[in-house]
Amino acid sequence: MKYCYSCFQQVDENINVCPHCGKPIINKPKEPIYLIPGTILNNRYVVGEAIGAGGFGVIYKAFDTKLEVVVGVKEFYASRLVTRAAGEKQVIISKKSKDEFDYRKDRFLAEARTMAQFGKHRNIVNVFEFFEENNTAYIVMELLSGMALNDYLKQHGKLDSNLSLMIVNEVGSALRSLHSKGIIHRDIAPDNIFICEGSDLKIKLLDLGSAKLPDSSEAVIDIILKPGYSPCEQYDTTKTVSTWSDIYALGATLYVMLTGVKPDESTNRKIKDIVVAPKELDSSISENLSNSVMRAMAIEYHMRFKTVDEFLKAINGEKKVISLAAEKRRRNAIRLVEICAVVLALAITGMFVYKRYDDKKAAQILRAADIEVWFSVADGSNEELAMQAIIEDFTTTFPDVTVEYRAIPEDEYASVLEEAALSGELPDLFESSDVSQTVLDSARDCSLVLNSEQAEECQFLNGYSDTGRVPLGISVPIAYIVTNGPTSIDYQGDSFNDLESFSGYNIAVGSNYIELIERNFGQFNWSDSSEFLTNDNSVAVMLSSSMDLDTVKTALTGVMKTCVAPGGDEVFCDYVYYYSLGFGNDDEQAAADRFLSWMLGNVYQNALMVSYCNDGQLPINNTCFQDKIANSDLACLINVYQNFVFDTNSQHDDLELVINIPAVITRWR
């Protein structure tokens, strides 16, 4: 007999589908880095299927052999700091990552201790135990059955007021207890609110891993951001993060439940606030409830409710709340003399701040405009679908802007764009990866985009100064190695130092990336890539770019493993997928600037570089890059940061940017 690792009922050894839960019998993990089903932890817990994963942890369904109950086990697995060999239990930590790993593991255990304080609270997940094993740490907690609020909203759209208020009151109860202990959650959002199944509708507040704890001696407090739900103070500093920060996030969560519309980012609202009161979107919402939500979401934290109790009394009608504008007028009247004095004292400073941010404001405020985007498409590519997804989301946020696109076959694109440049009819925004200098000379300056908040999310752009165009992705040099077949290499190592590692073997080079490879390894008597890209290949090694990953996977069948090159040496990489701006009237230019800056944001990078593109296309946005790498054939990139160098001499720039990530070997067996 054996376990079904989905329901933990005992089943016959020879069956493939569990007769109890109806699910296929699991014999191996979903991902090679996950623990193998059946692994025993702490001499007590039998690991089952992985039911969730994020940047810092994997959650498994598990069976407690002592109490004979099913539990959840959360493993601390920081995907960019550690790795694990397939089939092994121990995680492997690089020397360079050890300090950060230890810090984050301590935070993970602090989360466990924090949650354990509230084990009897109906709205906080109950923690039974936590321990260290396999070079990492684990939290054993109750296993929840149901769905996260964000998934519920996707299915049902906006919720009625009664259900919305019930959920917020339950979450508020959890926050009240946390705040009483000096704990600030800092990550309230629909994805961290869980609706449990059962006749007694129960709401659980999840994930205290981001919480700000009362111990102020902590040397580092991460900046936690969730666009639409995080208040301004969480973007700027942790010094003013307090109970009112959680109240903003809870108010934003109530806003999306009542209206079905996610609020704009708080930093955008600070420049121009386009968020309207819930009652303006749904007249059935009471004025007091609408005012309460907007007060909780006030941009200035001193205008918000100071405690959760105040907020809950307001939304439940126990306290009358006037509109935020009226409240501001009331406070202004009371403090008129003080405000005038402050205005006089800060007049010069205010002028300086206005001047400093004037350009950024111009890029954020959008009036009615029609803009056109051109880009090239290859046969069989999904770039048109990606652009449609981006345009739909952008125009939902900015309904006064109309975005049309033109997808041009890649073999015609350069000539079409050249003709448009010569006739002075370039579109408002266009792909400019492989275009002539004539086209680039006709493009508009991209400084506003490169100084946008979205650009600040792109660490690979640090130091980039080519204001004529903006890259959306990066290309990394990779060595592909075949380890079976007539020309295979018995290559045991997980890294290589230089070409001497392949001494005695012919080495092919990707035909489109010779310059990139020779910039890294010097000139060599390369074999043609055609000698490698076939199952009966005569060459076992090919040096190329990450962009060739899907091509190689299609040409060579077998099991792939990714290995990392050692640090110390500079690894030259390239920018890819450039876009440039054309000329139009002021409103069209502002809309085009904003559209291009949003293409650097995580949502848009996911559409462009992850959802609709091949595995080797790497996004330039930090979060998107890490998310894509963490669950891909190039997962090793997230574990080690050494030397990425962007030599832009051949890309209309003289800067070099060092980012600390190594080259890669990809191995087929």
Side-chain angles (χ1 to χ4, degrees):
M1 301 292 286
K2 63 180 180 180
Y3 280 120
C4 164
Y5 293 116
S6 296
C7 67
F8 288 99
Q9 296 293 320
Q10 286 192 328
V11 296
D12 188 86
E13 290 282 346
N14 299 317
I15 67 171
N16 296 318
V17 177
C18 176
H20 305 283
C21 67
K23 293 184 178 180
I25 298 298
I26 300 168
N27 296 312
K28 61 181 181 178
K30 293 179 182 178
E31 298 291 341
I33 60 171
Y34 293 172
L35 291 171
I36 295 175
T39 299
I40 306 296
L41 296 176
N42 205 30
N43 296 317
R44 176 173 177 176
Y45 304 102
V46 181
V47 172
E49 65 178 337
I51 56 175
F56 290 97
V58 181
I59 300 177
Y60 302 90
K61 186 180 286 187
F63 185 70
D64 183 345
T65 58
K66 184 176 181 179
L67 298 179
E68 297 187 344
V69 294
V70 180
V71 296
V73 173
K74 184 176 182 180
E75 178 185 51
F76 176 61
Y77 189 92
S79 56
R80 68 181 181 82
L81 302 176
V82 302
T83 188
R84 173 191 278 131
E88 298 295 326
K89 295 167 62 176
Q90 297 279 330
V91 301
I92 303 168
I93 311 161
S94 69
K95 291 181 180 179
K96 287 184 175 292
S97 303
K98 186 67 167 59
D99 289 344
E100 184 178 357
F101 175 86
D102 288 341
Y103 162 72
R104 295 198 179 280
K105 186 179 72 172
D106 288 345
R107 289 283 304 171
F108 180 83
L109 293 171
E111 175 191 2
R113 286 188 289 271
T114 301
M115 294 172 67
Q117 295 179 50
F118 305 97
K120 295 183 179 179
H121 199 293
R122 78 176 251 118
N123 303 120
I124 298 176
V125 179
N126 192 8
V127 167
F128 305 125
E129 184 181 14
F130 50 93
F131 55 92
E132 295 187 49
E133 190 173 329
N134 300 331
N135 220 16
T136 186
Y138 298 85
I139 301 175
V140 182
M141 62 187 74
E142 66 176 312
L143 185 67
L144 302 179
S145 179
M147 71 170 57
L149 176 59
N150 62 324
D151 294 325
Y152 191 84
L153 288 169
K154 288 176 184 176
Q155 291 185 12
H156 299 277
K158 67 180 182 180
L159 311 182
D160 65 61
S161 295
N162 289 334
L163 179 56
S164 299
L165 290 175
M166 186 281 292
I167 292 172
V168 170
N169 275 287
E170 295 277 284
V171 175
S173 174
L175 279 180
R176 182 192 298 118
S177 296
L178 293 176
H179 291 174
S180 70
K181 300 291 187 180
I183 299 167
I184 311 301
H185 189 282
R186 296 200 303 161
D187 200 15
I188 304 294
D191 61 341
N192 280 331
I193 296 171
F194 198 87
I195 303 173
C196 300
E197 291 179 342
S199 56
D200 177 21
L201 188 60
K202 189 181 296 184
I203 307 299
K204 293 281 188 177
L205 178 59
L206 308 179
D207 196 358
L208 297 184
S210 304
K212 180 182 178 184
L213 305 178
D215 180 7
S216 59
S217 64
E218 214 172 339
V220 180
I221 298 179
D222 292 336
I223 294 178
I224 306 300
L225 301 176
K226 193 154 286 180
Y229 303 98
S230 297
C232 292
E233 62 265 22
Q234 284 186 209
Y235 286 78
D236 300 328
T237 178
T238 58
K239 292 181 180 177
T240 55
V241 170
S242 188
T243 55
W244 49 72
S245 306
D246 284 346
I247 290 169
Y248 181 101
L250 188 57
T253 300
L254 179 54
Y255 186 101
V256 76
M257 284 193 287
L258 292 171
T259 67
V261 178
K262 187 172 102 170
D264 194 16
E265 290 186 51
S266 59
T267 49
N268 292 341
R269 295 181 63 206
K270 199 171 183 179
I271 298 171
K272 180 176 175 61
D273 193 359
I274 61 173
V275 175
V276 299
K279 189 171 180 59
E280 294 183 41
L281 297 175
D282 184 347
S283 59
S284 67
I285 298 172
S286 72
E287 185 171 354
N288 198 73
L289 177 56
S290 182
N291 290 342
S292 300
V293 172
M294 296 306 290
R295 177 78 67 82
M297 292 173 57
I299 297 169
E300 304 89 355
Y301 65 84
H302 63 271
M303 295 296 297
R304 301 174 206 151
F305 300 103
K306 298 302 183 291
T307 68
V308 174
D309 278 337
E310 285 184 25
F311 177 51
L312 296 183
K313 287 180 181 178
I315 64 173
N316 292 322
E318 299 174 26
K319 176 180 179 181
K320 185 177 180 180
V321 180
I322 60 177
S323 70
L324 191 57
E327 175 65 16
K328 287 182 178 179
R329 288 194 297 270
R330 186 184 71 84
R331 295 190 185 193
N332 286 344
I334 295 173
R335 300 189 179 98
L336 181 59
V337 174
E338 293 88 340
I339 291 173
C340 288
V342 171
V343 169
L344 287 173
L346 298 178
I348 296 176
T349 303
M351 291 174 63
F352 172 75
V353 171
Y354 178 83
K355 176 63 178 174
R356 182 176 179 183
Y357 288 98
D358 189 43
D359 288 343
K360 184 174 286 189
K361 287 181 182 179
Q364 306 292 331
I365 301 172
L366 299 186
R367 292 179 286 269
D370 297 327
I371 63 173
E372 187 173 15
V373 183
W374 290 7
F375 55 94
S376 67
V377 290
D379 290 341
S381 75
N382 292 320
E383 292 182 41
E384 191 169 353
L385 293 175
M387 185 59 69
Q388 290 170 356
I390 294 171
I391 290 173
E392 180 181 356
D393 199 57
F394 182 83
T395 53
T396 299
T397 303
F398 298 102
D400 292 333
V401 178
T402 300
V403 183
E404 301 290 342
Y405 72 85
R406 181 180 177 189
I408 303 172
E410 63 177 354
D411 58 347
E412 303 173 15
Y413 187 74
S415 60
V416 170
L417 209 59
E418 178 90 6
E419 183 179 343
L422 292 173
S423 62
E425 297 179 351
L426 282 173
D428 302 280
L429 181 62
F430 57 92
E431 185 184 352
S432 55
S433 300
D434 298 300
V435 299
S436 68
Q437 192 62 44
T438 300
V439 174
L440 294 176
D441 289 343
S442 302
R444 184 163 55 86
D445 185 272
C446 297
S447 294
L448 284 176
V449 176
L450 293 170
N451 289 319
S452 67
E453 292 173 6
Q454 288 76 18
E456 292 173 1
E457 299 172 8
C458 304
Q459 186 180 9
F460 296 125
L461 281 177
N462 290 348
Y464 179 84
S465 66
D466 182 356
T467 59
R469 55 185 186 163
V470 178
L472 300 182
I474 62 172
S475 168
V476 179
I478 295 179
Y480 300 96
I481 301 176
V482 177
T483 57
N484 73 339
T487 59
S488 64
I489 299 178
D490 184 18
Y491 193 82
Q492 299 299 320
D494 285 342
S495 62
F496 72 101
N497 291 298
D498 50 41
L499 298 185
E500 290 296 321
S501 300
F502 312 123
S503 177
Y505 295 96
N506 291 331
I507 303 175
V509 65
S511 56
N512 295 323
Y513 304 101
I514 295 175
E515 191 277 334
L516 173 66
I517 297 306
E518 291 191 342
R519 211 175 341 139
N520 280 278
F521 303 107
Q523 294 186 344
F524 190 78
N525 185 24
W526 309 110
S527 297
D528 189 84
S529 59
S530 61
E531 299 179 48
F532 177 84
L533 295 172
T534 173
N535 276 327
D536 57 351
N537 51 47
S538 58
V539 175
V541 181
M542 184 175 80
L543 300 182
S544 189
S545 159
S546 55
M547 301 281 285
D548 259 350
L549 181 58
D550 273 21
T551 300
V552 177
K553 288 168 65 177
T554 301
L556 301 175
T557 57
V559 179
M560 185 184 71
K561 179 179 179 179
T562 303
C563 309
V564 185
D569 297 328
E570 293 179 331
V571 179
F572 290 93
C573 305
D574 284 335
Y575 295 117
V576 293
Y577 293 113
Y578 289 92
Y579 269 77
S580 295
L581 298 164
F583 287 88
N585 62 40
D586 289 347
D587 293 341
E588 291 166 346
Q589 290 186 19
D593 284 346
R594 183 64 171 148
F595 190 86
L596 180 53
S597 70
W598 275 30
M599 291 173 79
L600 293 170
N602 185 36
V603 173
Y604 306 94
Q605 288 267 298
N606 267 309
L608 280 168
M609 307 297 287
V610 179
S611 299
Y612 297 105
C613 294
N614 73 47
D615 291 345
Q617 294 174 339
L618 300 177
I620 205 165
N621 178 281
N622 296 356
T623 303
C624 185
F625 174 84
Q626 293 177 11
D627 289 346
K628 178 169 183 175
I629 294 303
N631 298 302
S632 76
D633 294 323
L634 302 178
C636 61
L637 282 178
I638 211 68
N639 297 328
V640 184
Y641 290 85
Q642 292 188 0
N643 288 322
F644 259 20
V645 177
F646 287 84
D647 182 358
T648 55
N649 290 330
S650 61
Q651 303 169 49
H652 309 282
D653 203 326
D654 295 327
L655 282 176
E656 291 186 354
L657 171 63
V658 178
I659 290 288
N660 288 340
I661 302 178
V664 179
I665 300 175
T666 300
R667 178 186 303 174
W668 274 262
R669 290 176 179 169

